[in-house]
Amino acid sequence: MRRIVLVALAAALALAGCTTESGDGGEGGGDGRPAKVDGIPTSKGTHKQKLDVGTIGHREYLLHVPAKVADGEWEDGRPAKPPALVIALHGGLATMDKMRKMSGFDELAEKHGFLVAYPNGFMTTWNAGDCCGAAKIGNVDDVDFLTRLIDKITGAGLADPDRVHVTGFSNGAGMAYRMACERPEKIAAIGVVEGALVTDCDPGEPVSAMIFHGTADRSVPYEGGGHRDFNDRRPFPPVSKAVDFWRRVGGLPEPDRRVRALSGDTRCESTGKGERGVAVTFCRIDGGGHEWPDGAAAMLWDFFASHPNRG
């Protein structure tokens, strides 16, 4: 436990010293685009931002604004057609920068014209319920942080509030589950990669979900097992528990309709859209370990784009 906390603290202190923004400059566009909206830069590129969460200090996130949005049509200082927003959550003992480099969402955002936000967890962790690390021990309200982040960007008119999607890897995937459990009204769909549902969940309304899991994952075992945290020896539930849970919430049948696969080792099955417009797609990666699969971001975006509205 001491080693994990010290590593997380060192990483957090190092990140705290990085406060510069990146991008192509702060000037507005000749098409009526302001330099900033509610303090959020609108120029193309990736911008490091701080967010007030009502406590001592602040939280940080990276916001990638693609050229298609920055150079597109603007009306009254807002995008004429607000784009979708994808929030991508890093794994435990990782950072927003690592998630940005690992996931590949920047390239997809440039191609398809959506915003991507990469938030930083607390001391490199997320409070996903029964996991993980410093965020769980400190009872950090990450649901509130991510809700404020969504409201900040959509409230500024920079993204469509009905096209907000949350995805994550490992601990971040568990956090995506928790957001869908506690703030389903904010989210159209979630994308879960190598994560577990380890929080009490009673969403009250369905959320579309795309779930990836490798059969050889030793950190979050496919069939369940391992330990939920360094101080919690209870096993992770099997991935089937989460698939079945979101299927039942949506009133959906067993997933059995094949969709495009990543490779010969990956088999994806979907329930198809139900009466409420939601779907659950599950991708099993035979022999896959605890890693972000090549091509997962493209499949996730295709799923998000086909489920543009809540419920």
Side-chain angles (χ1 to χ4, degrees):
M1 179 178 80
R2 178 182 176 86
R3 181 178 180 273
I4 292 174
V5 172
L6 287 175
V7 169
L9 179 58
L13 290 174
L15 288 171
C18 301
T19 58
T20 58
E21 296 179 1
S22 60
D24 70 344
E27 296 182 0
D31 53 4
R33 174 178 60 80
K36 293 185 178 182
V37 178
D38 196 17
I40 303 173
T42 63
S43 57
K44 62 184 178 183
T46 303
H47 311 273
K48 181 175 286 187
Q49 296 291 286
K50 297 178 180 180
L51 183 67
D52 180 10
V53 291
T55 61
I56 297 175
H58 60 269
R59 300 292 293 269
E60 291 185 340
Y61 66 98
L62 299 174
L63 180 66
H64 184 76
V65 181
K68 283 190 175 182
V69 173
D71 299 337
E73 185 179 354
W74 289 66
E75 294 178 356
D76 300 323
R78 304 292 189 274
K81 185 179 180 180
L85 170 64
V86 172
I87 296 177
L89 308 176
H90 61 74
L93 298 183
T95 65
M96 57 189 181
D97 299 276
K98 183 173 181 178
M99 186 62 180
R100 180 189 172 212
K101 294 175 183 177
M102 177 181 73
S103 67
F105 275 115
D106 281 9
E107 293 80 3
L108 288 168
E110 292 295 335
K111 180 178 179 180
H112 298 286
F114 59 90
L115 299 182
V116 192
Y118 304 94
N120 244 356
F122 176 77
M123 293 178 68
T124 71
T125 59
W126 299 101
N127 183 2
D130 293 336
C131 182
C132 289
K136 183 193 75 172
I137 292 172
N139 196 29
V140 175
D141 195 345
D142 281 323
V143 170
D144 179 71
F145 165 41
L146 296 177
T147 300
R148 286 175 184 254
L149 176 58
I150 292 169
D151 290 347
K152 175 76 172 179
I153 297 172
T154 61
L158 297 178
D160 184 346
D162 285 333
R163 294 193 294 155
V164 176
H165 312 283
V166 180
T167 185
F169 172 70
S170 190
N171 180 203
M175 191 65 222
Y177 275 140
R178 187 169 188 180
M179 280 297 294
C181 292
E182 298 187 27
R183 294 292 188 273
E185 74 281 0
K186 297 286 183 182
I187 300 168
I190 58 172
V192 173
V193 181
E194 307 300 329
L197 178 60
V198 289
T199 187
D200 293 335
C201 195
D202 185 16
E205 62 181 271
V207 173
S208 291
M210 188 173 200
I211 300 167
F212 290 85
H213 215 104
T215 60
D217 187 335
R218 295 185 178 181
S219 297
V220 185
Y222 182 88
E223 297 290 353
H227 298 155
R228 296 190 182 190
D229 210 345
F230 66 88
N231 61 350
D232 187 342
R233 298 184 66 83
R234 289 178 297 165
F236 285 109
V239 64
S240 60
K241 176 183 176 181
V243 175
D244 289 342
F245 176 82
W246 292 108
R247 180 181 60 78
R248 290 194 303 270
V249 170
L252 299 166
E254 292 279 350
D256 60 5
R257 187 158 56 87
R258 293 294 178 92
V259 297
R260 180 169 64 90
L262 291 173
S263 70
D265 295 328
T266 301
R267 294 182 294 171
C268 298
E269 297 178 337
S270 177
T271 61
K273 287 188 180 181
E275 294 181 358
R276 302 182 68 176
V278 299
V280 173
T281 294
F282 172 55
C283 294
R284 165 179 164 162
I285 308 169
D286 291 328
H290 195 70
E291 58 189 359
W292 183 273
D294 291 339
M299 289 188 70
L300 284 167
W301 172 249
D302 286 347
F303 181 82
F304 295 158
S306 65
H307 299 84
N309 300 307
R310 298 193 308 266

